[in-house]
Amino acid sequence: MEKNGRIRVRFAPSPTGYIHVGNARTALFNWLFARQNGGIFVLRVEDTDIERSREEYERNLIQDLRWLGLDWDEGPDAGGNFGPYRQSERLELYHRYANQLLEEGKAYYCFCTAEELEKEREAALAEGRMPVYSGRCRNISLKEARLRLAAGEAGAIRLRVPDEGSIQFEDIVRGLVEFDLKLIGDPIIVRSNGMPAYNYAVVIDDALMKITHVIRGEDHVSNTPRQIILYRALGWEPPVFAHLSMVMGKDNTRLSKRHGATSVDQFRREGILPEALCNYLAFLGWSPPEGQEVLTLEQLVRLFDLRRVSRSAAIFDYEKLYWLNRQHIKLLRYEKKLELALPYLQEAGYVGTEVTPEQREWLEKAVEILIEGVDKFSQLPGKFSLLFDYQPENLDAEARSIVQADSARKVLVAFIQKTAGLNEFNYEIFAAITGEIKKETGVKGKDLFHPLRVALTARASGLELDKFIPLVEEGSRFDWPRKLKNCLERIREFSRILEA
RNA sequence: GCCCCUGUCGUCUAGCCCGGCCUAGGACAUCGCCCUUUCAAGGCGGCAACACGGGUUCGAAUCCCGUCGGGGGCGCCA
């Protein structure tokens, strides 16, 4: 695929906000392609939009990519032989080549005002034509233009695009793509404020950074012919292109805030595993030939194939992401599960900043048990609430109706009596007592256990009691920011409520 | 408006290039059953799609044309 030497790809975000999952997918596909081919992955920051770019966003961007598990060989923080890697630091380069194009007559100064251009646009639209720059300033000589510039007039630089013919290119995912040159106006390459325009800066950068494959979003397809013309004007060989379809929300519009979490940052906060997010993102438009579903980054690197990427847009499905996240959570070791869970438990106020080794051991056990069926780590405190928050005074409707049944009364009264004198409790004792109650009252199965569950947990559902009781008994021996009540304390509290 | 791309279960997709092996496969979701002292997890099973209309062909999800739907683009934004 490569003509000579190593494959070089790049991810070139602009630091204007948090990194979106659509961009993250583009980054991932570039990274996968680089890694599976022993290529170079470069990170370039496109910060020519001074109004919107912020340094803080660049830091977030780097942090998010690292968190995802992607690494780059060259970049603003990593260095490299083709730097600088921030467009704002490459201005001199853009000017040098713009001058060359100007001198060779391949580009020219344009003095049209925004209003004039807008008028032309509207006229074209009204006539049912594609709005294309008229070329009004094409014949202004360089000499004249420089005079006008010197006189203080503002001018932008446009690339001269041939009027006839077409531009073709072979896109790895879309196949042969062709554009009619009649529909492409002369694009601005340098704005009147001296800043390079996107279409120009990318070409200079990609060429100078020796990028061999440009893998980016579908929204750039129609920019590609302009860029190819630029490569040719500069006498450079264009790279191979691959345009990825868009990522949409449920309603088939571009994924946005109102669809839910959309930034990598948000998914991290919610407790989605990076490997799960990468796995999911890779499956948006791609699938391995054997149909495997749960894959690690290393497996993705091995199986990924750019040629198998779908051309149609994909809808982001949170449910499937959560399912993959559950699968990846299952793959984690218990120490790792606790490590990831701890911040959420601390934030919920269940666990303090200091954790003793004994507490850690208990927490590992608790997380292992309670994480079953959890979509993301942020849901874990809700599960721990079963252990730490015992509030028999506010039962929900279901729990109340369970307790109010006639047979339930009998069971509860017997249970309270039998536990009254105890100062020790465990699951064996619980099993023995329930056996006796079953014999004495004749109540069994669900009617027997359900009221007892409500008495011990103040909820209608939750963990199996054979797991719950040992966990609570052991956990209640430790000091927690919020007291963890043991079973006997719960029963006594419950009996007081029952009497009232 | 104009240009380009795209269209298989609700969703992600396999199959399409190289027509028959497709009574269209898998996964998520959903529904049911099993397991179980509840829920979940797990196991088993069900529902569910070739956008539509014309061709070509003995035969079309697969090839061709059109219609409709969806997306992208048409900036001195990136």
Side-chain angles (χ1 to χ4, degrees):
Chain A
M1 207 175 268
E2 70 276 40
K3 269 149 272 164
N4 41 21
R6 264 175 131 173
I7 281 180
R8 293 177 58 86
V9 297
R10 54 36 166 210
F11 176 57
S14 40
T16 54
Y18 293 94
I19 185 163
H20 189 268
V21 286
N23 286 124
R25 186 180 64 144
T26 303
L28 176 66
F29 281 28
N30 272 286
W31 183 85
L32 289 172
F33 186 71
R35 291 296 169 253
Q36 75 178 176
N37 289 298
I40 298 290
F41 181 49
V42 354
L43 176 67
R44 182 173 73 225
V45 176
E46 308 216 327
D47 57 350
T48 51
D49 185 347
I50 341 159
E51 329 269 83
R52 296 193 296 150
S53 297
R54 294 204 349 224
E55 221 176 289
E56 167 201 349
Y57 287 134
E58 182 184 312
R59 283 194 298 273
N60 292 335
L61 205 126
I62 288 177
Q63 188 188 3
D64 285 346
L65 291 173
R66 287 245 173 80
W67 175 77
L68 276 171
L70 310 187
D71 55 351
W72 43 98
D73 309 291
E74 299 172 21
D77 57 330
N81 296 327
F82 300 88
Y85 294 91
R86 252 178 231 112
Q87 288 191 329
S88 59
E89 295 165 10
R90 301 171 61 81
L91 265 22
E92 188 205 325
L93 251 17
Y94 307 131
H95 290 135
R96 190 191 309 163
Y97 289 100
N99 259 322
Q100 181 187 321
L101 290 167
L102 244 18
E103 295 290 346
E104 290 172 351
K106 290 169 179 167
Y108 60 90
Y109 276 103
C110 172
F111 297 95
C112 294
T113 61
E115 298 77 58
E116 286 169 326
L117 294 171
E118 185 52 33
K119 241 160 110 189
E120 273 185 20
R121 245 183 74 84
E122 277 165 21
L125 245 28
E127 283 172 49
R129 293 193 331 262
M130 215 164 119
V132 170
Y133 176 62
S134 65
R136 188 149 34 135
C137 297
R138 270 187 172 183
N139 297 319
I140 298 173
S141 70
L142 225 201
K143 218 164 105 188
E144 184 192 339
R146 289 202 163 130
L147 248 37
R148 287 171 72 168
L149 252 21
E153 228 180 306
I157 303 173
R158 284 185 190 269
L159 177 72
R160 214 178 282 277
V161 170
D163 297 315
E164 296 292 319
S166 68
I167 290 280
Q168 291 186 337
F169 62 95
E170 189 68 34
D171 187 299
I172 299 178
V173 342
R174 321 193 79 80
L176 185 69
V177 181
E178 181 170 7
F179 282 90
D180 188 341
L181 285 175
K182 280 201 276 294
L183 301 168
I184 299 172
D186 298 346
I188 301 251
I189 57 174
V190 178
R191 294 180 248 168
S192 53
N193 68 2
M195 289 302 268
Y198 166 79
N199 273 311
Y200 174 64
V202 249
V203 170
I204 301 295
D205 292 340
D206 286 340
L208 262 27
M209 292 181 182
K210 301 259 186 282
I211 300 302
T212 58
H213 299 255
V214 169
I215 304 167
R216 64 199 344 177
E218 189 194 354
D219 45 341
H220 292 288
V221 184
S222 54
N223 282 325
T224 309
R226 289 174 239 279
Q227 293 172 11
I228 290 175
I229 294 166
L230 248 173
Y231 276 99
R232 289 184 186 165
L234 290 159
W236 294 334
E237 182 71 20
V240 176
F241 293 95
H243 289 96
L244 272 19
S245 62
M246 304 273 91
V247 178
M248 316 296 278
K250 257 244 158 334
D251 54 359
N252 240 304
T253 60
R254 263 175 129 138
L255 195 63
S256 67
K257 309 253 184 301
R258 70 204 157 75
H259 297 287
T262 54
S263 66
V264 171
D265 175 69
Q266 274 171 293
F267 286 110
R268 177 182 49 215
R269 282 179 212 282
E270 287 185 4
I272 296 291
L273 262 18
E275 53 270 39
L277 188 54
C278 285
N279 193 165
Y280 180 69
L281 256 17
F283 274 76
L284 245 28
W286 172 80
S287 62
E290 310 289 326
Q292 309 94 308
E293 298 262 346
V294 182
L295 300 169
T296 62
L297 263 189
E298 298 77 66
Q299 291 173 309
L300 287 173
V301 167
R302 216 161 345 119
L303 295 166
F304 185 70
D305 185 350
L306 206 45
R307 290 164 307 187
R308 274 181 72 87
V309 171
S310 161
R311 284 179 294 270
S312 52
I315 292 173
F316 194 94
D317 181 4
Y318 292 88
E319 288 303 328
K320 189 138 188 184
L321 203 216
Y322 293 153
W323 176 77
L324 274 171
N325 200 43
R326 288 196 300 260
Q327 303 307 310
H328 282 277
I329 288 173
K330 279 187 197 164
L331 262 27
L332 297 175
R333 299 175 53 91
Y334 59 91
E335 306 98 301
K336 184 72 180 171
K337 285 180 197 163
L338 176 58
E339 182 194 322
L340 293 167
L342 209 51
Y344 294 92
L345 299 177
Q346 287 167 332
E347 209 201 333
Y350 294 137
V351 179
T353 42
E354 296 293 311
V355 181
T356 67
E358 293 77 23
Q359 284 179 315
R360 177 170 295 275
E361 203 180 315
W362 179 81
L363 282 167
E364 279 173 358
K365 226 180 291 178
V367 168
E368 191 67 31
I369 290 170
L370 288 165
I371 203 144
E372 281 276 318
V374 162
D375 292 334
K376 42 190 179 181
F377 280 90
S378 61
Q379 291 171 344
L380 207 51
K383 295 280 191 171
F384 268 74
S385 172
L386 183 72
L387 268 28
F388 284 93
D389 304 316
Y390 179 68
Q391 294 177 317
E393 64 280 8
N394 325 307
L395 296 184
D396 65 17
E398 194 191 350
R400 202 169 309 139
S401 78
I402 289 166
V403 174
Q404 279 161 355
D406 285 344
S407 64
R409 287 273 163 183
K410 267 191 280 179
V411 169
L412 288 168
V413 168
F415 188 66
I416 289 164
Q417 275 171 2
K418 286 177 192 294
T419 52
L422 297 176
N423 42 25
E424 197 197 334
F425 196 77
N426 58 40
Y427 185 69
E428 285 65 43
I429 296 173
F430 173 79
I433 291 176
T434 52
E436 288 171 26
I437 295 172
K438 184 172 154 188
K439 213 178 278 171
E440 291 165 15
T441 61
V443 181
K444 57 180 179 169
K446 193 171 170 174
D447 292 334
L448 171 62
F449 289 100
H450 224 156
L452 296 176
R453 162 183 295 288
V454 175
L456 288 171
T457 70
R459 276 159 235 241
S461 67
L463 266 186
E464 292 93 329
L465 293 176
D466 61 342
K467 286 183 187 150
F468 175 83
I469 292 169
L471 208 51
V472 164
E473 286 305 299
E474 197 184 332
S476 65
R477 293 206 293 264
F478 302 116
D479 267 339
W480 302 106
R482 198 177 312 178
K483 183 170 167 51
L484 204 176
K485 292 168 191 155
N486 68 30
C487 291
L488 292 175
E489 287 167 326
R490 288 167 189 240
I491 295 160
R492 274 162 211 150
E493 207 171 323
F494 192 79
S495 82
R496 281 199 295 278
I497 303 274
L498 203 63
E499 283 162 21

